[in-house]
Amino acid sequence: MIQYLKTHNFTLVLSGGGALGITHLGVLHDMEKYEIFPSEVVGTSMGGIIAACLSIGMNEAKIYSNIRKFASVSAWVKLSFSGNALVDNDKIANIFQDIFQDKKMKDTQVPLKLIATNLRTGNKKVFSQKDDIYIKDAILATMAIPGIFDEHIIENESYGDGFICENLGISEASSSAILAVDAIGENSFDKTMPNNFFKTANILEMFEKSIRLLIYNQSKIHKQYSNKYIILIEPVTKDYKTFHFHKHKEIRATGLDLLHD
């Protein structure tokens, strides 16, 4: 795997997954160690945030320092008392402004694609260098989980999280080879049923497991219909919740040491 990636152009595809997406940082750490560099990056939701940081030349340590800002929920959560979502985007928009300033999709060092969903039509939208928009706007679109974050308006269209259409964006890769890191892959859910003392805990676990299974099966179909050479990495994230940003150190570790020959 390592030698192949060092000698071939490939697209790095990073999935969504909330806090589970922090696992991508472990993979990036090892890519830097082995001097492996993608020719293109594609990201959805949390994978989109990390892909965007990588595309403008940030190393893994710097990306990790930015992601740690999410560890303190109060740093980016501002409850909304109107509209369609629980969280107002003001605070998180300021974080992205600090990181990306006024860089546009065309200003990246590595070509970047970010996947979002048009909430009016239901169609997938892929933001790329062809779109004359700010990176921060494309990120606010790709990570806008409906009902949690405000939908993001770009050119009079409302956009939400890309996971609705394609959580693992392999179909958008331009290269014939893909390194895909799936935070909500086969190793993201237990093979057993919840068995907590309190029924409410079982219900919540079943709901989250169902969502992970839905996304996993969506990605599996995209892989089955792809004619690309796909190197798939599925970190073991089943012990963590999508909101476990405070466990960033442990989740990052799940992505380490998964590249090998």
Side-chain angles (χ1 to χ4, degrees), residues 26 33 38 55 84 87 144 157 159 216 220 227:
K33 180 172 70 174
S55 76
N84 302 319
V87 178
E157 290 286 1
Y159 293 100
Y216 165 67
K220 188 162 63 172
N227 59 1

Side-chain angles (χ1 to χ4, degrees), residues 191-204:
K191 305 304 187 290
T192 58
M193 301 296 285
N195 188 28
N196 298 293
F197 179 79
F198 292 105
K199 182 177 180 179
T200 51
N202 290 329
I203 292 171
L204 291 173

Side-chain angles (χ1 to χ4, degrees), residues 60-130:
E60 189 269 336
K62 179 63 176 176
I63 299 173
Y64 188 23
S65 71
N66 283 312
I67 292 298
R68 280 200 295 269
K69 294 176 183 177
F70 292 87
S72 174
V73 174
S74 62
W76 55 273
V77 166
K78 176 182 175 183
L79 294 181
S80 175
F81 297 99
S82 62
N84 302 319
L86 291 173
V87 178
D88 187 292
N89 287 354
D90 285 353
K91 283 188 175 182
I92 200 165
N94 288 335
I95 292 175
F96 294 143
Q97 173 63 36
D98 289 342
I99 296 172
F100 298 101
Q101 301 294 315
D102 291 327
K103 289 184 174 66
K104 292 190 172 183
M105 293 294 292
K106 63 183 179 182
D107 298 328
T108 60
Q109 296 179 23
V110 180
L112 170 67
K113 293 176 180 175
L114 297 176
I115 298 174
T117 303
N118 185 312
L119 295 177
R120 181 179 62 83
T121 65
N123 293 331
K124 177 171 64 174
K125 170 62 181 177
V126 182
F127 293 104
S128 69
Q129 59 190 1
K130 297 177 183 178

